[in-house]
Coordinates of all heavy atoms in Angstrom, one line a residue:
E49 N 109.9 92.4 103.5 CA 111.2 93.0 102.9 C 110.8 94.4 102.3 O 109.7 94.6 101.9 CB 111.9 92.1 101.9 CG 111.1 91.8 100.7 CD 111.8 90.9 99.7 OE1 112.0 89.7 100.1 OE2 112.1 91.3 98.6
G50 N 111.8 95.2 102.2 CA 111.7 96.5 101.5 C 111.6 97.6 102.5 O 111.7 97.5 103.7
V51 N 111.3 98.8 101.9 CA 111.3 100.0 102.6 C 109.8 100.5 102.7 O 109.2 100.6 101.7 CB 112.1 101.1 102.0 CG1 112.0 102.5 102.7 CG2 113.6 100.7 101.9
P52 N 109.3 100.8 103.9 CA 107.9 101.3 104.0 C 107.6 102.4 103.1 O 108.4 103.4 102.9 CB 107.8 101.7 105.5 CG 108.8 100.8 106.2 CD 109.9 100.7 105.2
G53 N 106.5 102.3 102.3 CA 106.1 103.4 101.4 C 106.7 103.4 100.1 O 106.4 104.2 99.2
Q54 N 107.7 102.4 99.9 CA 108.4 102.4 98.6 C 108.0 101.2 97.8 O 107.9 100.1 98.3 CB 109.9 102.4 98.9 CG 110.4 103.6 99.6 CD 110.2 104.9 98.8 OE1 110.6 104.9 97.6 NE2 109.7 105.9 99.4
P55 N 107.9 101.4 96.4 CA 107.6 100.2 95.6 C 108.7 99.1 95.8 O 109.9 99.4 96.1 CB 107.8 100.8 94.2 CG 107.3 102.2 94.3 CD 107.9 102.6 95.7
G56 N 108.3 97.9 95.8 CA 109.2 96.8 96.0 C 108.9 96.2 97.4 O 109.3 95.0 97.7
L57 N 108.3 96.9 98.3 CA 108.0 96.4 99.7 C 107.1 95.2 99.5 O 106.2 95.2 98.7 CB 107.3 97.5 100.5 CG 106.8 97.1 101.8 CD1 106.8 98.3 102.8 CD2 105.3 96.6 101.8
V58 N 107.4 94.2 100.3 CA 106.6 93.0 100.3 C 106.0 92.8 101.7 O 106.7 92.9 102.7 CB 107.4 91.7 100.0 CG1 106.5 90.4 100.1 CG2 108.0 91.8 98.6
R59 N 104.6 92.6 101.8 CA 104.0 92.3 103.0 C 103.4 90.9 103.0 O 103.1 90.3 102.0 CB 102.9 93.3 103.3 CG 101.6 93.2 102.4 CD 100.6 94.2 102.7 NE 99.4 94.2 101.8 CZ 98.5 95.0 101.8 NH1 98.5 96.1 102.5 NH2 97.5 94.9 100.9
Y60 N 103.3 90.3 104.2 CA 102.7 89.0 104.4 C 101.4 89.3 105.2 O 101.3 90.0 106.2 CB 103.6 88.2 105.3 CG 103.0 86.9 105.8 CD1 103.1 85.7 105.1 CD2 102.4 86.8 107.0 CE1 102.6 84.5 105.5 CE2 101.8 85.6 107.5 CZ 102.0 84.5 106.8 OH 101.4 83.3 107.2
C61 N 100.3 88.7 104.6 CA 98.9 88.8 105.2 C 98.4 87.4 105.4 O 98.5 86.6 104.5 CB 98.0 89.6 104.3 SG 98.5 91.3 103.9
A62 N 97.8 87.2 106.6 CA 97.3 85.9 106.9 C 96.0 85.9 107.7 O 95.8 86.9 108.5 CB 98.3 85.0 107.6
S63 N 95.2 84.9 107.6 CA 94.0 84.7 108.4 C 93.9 83.2 108.8 O 94.5 82.4 108.1 CB 92.7 85.1 107.6 OG 92.6 84.3 106.5
S64 N 93.3 83.0 109.9 CA 93.2 81.6 110.3 C 91.7 81.2 110.4 O 90.8 82.1 110.6 CB 93.8 81.4 111.7 OG 93.2 82.3 112.6
K65 N 91.4 80.0 110.2 CA 90.1 79.5 110.3 C 90.1 78.1 111.0 O 91.0 77.3 110.7 CB 89.5 79.3 108.8 CG 88.0 78.9 108.8 CD 87.5 78.8 107.4 CE 86.1 78.4 107.4 NZ 85.6 78.3 106.0

Side-chain angles (χ1 to χ4, degrees):
E49 63 183 61
V51 178
Q54 298 297 311
L57 176 147
V58 176
R59 71 181 177 188
Y60 170 90
C61 301
S63 61
S64 58
K65 185 176 181 181

